[in-house]
Amino acid sequence: MANPPTVPPLSIPQRGQPCPCGSGQPFEACCEPALKGVRPAPTAEALMRSRFTAHVADNQAYLHRTYKGTASTPFVAEPDETPIGWTRLVVHTHEPGATPDQAFVDFTAYFSDENGEHAIHEKSAFERSSGQWIYTKAVRTGPAPVRAAPKVGRNDPCPCGSGKKYKHCHGA
């Protein structure tokens, strides 16, 4: 059986070309200012998009300084590894967190190898400190769980069959 067709990886971002993050904007108006340190990413989603673009550009220093686990340590370049052929990014949601300085981004990043195109689906957490967003951690990998039954409302009959409203029975 033949291998599926390989999707060509994105090229190193260049001025005058669409940004690899999929925003539809030119690179110089989208992720380039963040990657160069000229302007911080204004939202968690913008930071996530710029981090994807940094992966495409193999900008390990930017990835280091925008990740909470390494941002406070000096960057030391690692030996070159085999680059990943990133092909595209799809942002599913950008949700606020418990405070205005917290947010979550659910996305799928695609890459290609000799066996075809593959997807990494993740929901990531971000924090804003001193006006700058930073990636903190993956809170979920893979697609969101599917709820089997609709959520019971406070004024709905309790699913236990007692005849009481949910809020007066198991919702109390």
Side-chain angles (χ1 to χ4, degrees):
M1 185 169 163
N3 286 338
T6 301
V7 177
L10 294 166
S11 58
I12 301 293
Q14 301 290 322
R15 299 184 120 236
Q17 294 180 350
C19 192
C21 77
S23 68
Q25 298 179 46
F27 173 61
E28 64 272 14
C30 190
C31 291
E32 184 184 40
L35 293 177
K36 288 188 169 183
V38 174
R39 180 184 74 226
T43 66
E45 180 181 341
L47 178 66
M48 200 283 313
R49 287 180 178 280
S50 69
R51 286 179 53 81
F52 176 82
T53 299
H55 279 288
V56 173
D58 196 28
N59 185 337
Q60 299 302 315
Y62 182 77
L63 295 168
H64 179 89
R65 73 176 177 265
T66 59
Y67 171 52
K68 187 175 183 178
T70 57
S72 62
T73 63
F75 173 70
V76 177
E78 297 286 326
D80 287 338
E81 296 179 8
T82 304
I84 295 174
W86 298 104
T87 57
R88 59 192 168 112
L89 174 70
V90 176
V91 175
H92 304 294
T93 61
H94 177 201
E95 307 164 9
T99 72
D101 292 326
Q102 296 173 329
F104 299 93
V105 178
D106 191 328
F107 66 93
T108 304
Y110 294 86
F111 67 96
S112 182
D113 64 15
E114 64 277 355
N115 296 316
E117 190 176 50
H118 311 279
I120 299 172
H121 191 148
E122 182 177 302
K123 183 175 184 178
S124 298
F126 296 84
E127 291 177 1
R128 184 171 44 197
S129 178
S130 302
Q132 296 202 9
W133 286 99
I134 192 159
Y135 166 70
T136 60
K137 63 183 177 179
V139 293
R140 185 193 74 240
T141 55
V146 177
R147 180 171 279 168
K151 185 176 176 181
V152 179
R154 291 175 28 88
N155 291 316
D156 292 342
C158 191
C160 76
S162 67
K164 296 180 182 178
K165 288 185 177 183
Y166 179 71
K167 68 182 176 184
H168 293 296
C169 192
H170 283 89

